[in-house]
Amino acid sequence: HQCYLNTCKIELIVFYFDILGRDGSVIFTDSGPLGETTLDQPNGSVYIISRDENGQMLKPLLHKCLAHPCGVAVAPNGDIFVAEMLKNRILRLAKSN
């Protein structure tokens, strides 16, 4: 899949709510316990499964702070975009150097 967001081309490999990063990592959302994620109590998270010299590792990118995250995309430069449905917004997670 390909889509364009503010003239930035984003190539997607989508597996339901999972996405495969350029380095082979898997990024996915967790909306939190069913019926418990609200605007007042955001329990959603974004996780990444990445590889290093010790094997695969699950790490939280955003932990229990989103109001129903529902999709992810990775830009060619490595930035991660997360759709936060209950707040009607797209968040950009930029890699730090």
Side-chain angles (χ1 to χ4, degrees):
H1 297 84
Q2 291 184 356
C3 64
Y4 293 86
L5 180 67
N6 292 338
T7 69
C8 175
K9 182 178 175 183
I10 301 172
E11 296 185 28
L12 305 176
I13 304 172
V14 180
F15 302 99
Y16 301 100
F17 294 112
D18 302 345
I19 190 160
L20 189 62
R22 292 178 105 40
D23 62 355
S25 58
V26 177
I27 304 161
F28 62 95
T29 62
D30 175 7
S31 298
L34 186 61
E36 294 182 22
T37 296
T38 65
L39 284 172
D40 295 328
Q41 293 181 321
N43 291 319
S45 304
V46 177
Y47 295 98
I48 186 168
I49 300 173
S50 59
R51 293 182 184 265
D52 62 14
E53 62 276 353
N54 299 319
Q56 291 182 335
M57 177 166 277
L58 173 67
K59 298 182 232 177
L61 296 176
L62 297 168
H63 187 66
K64 293 188 177 183
C65 62
L66 299 175
H68 198 79
C70 62
V72 293
V74 178
N77 68 351
D79 288 355
I80 299 168
F81 294 88
V82 180
E84 188 177 17
M85 188 169 72
L86 291 183
K87 290 193 177 179
N88 292 321
R89 66 180 182 173
I90 304 288
L91 301 171
R92 182 182 71 134
L93 310 177
K95 285 190 174 185
S96 61
N97 293 329

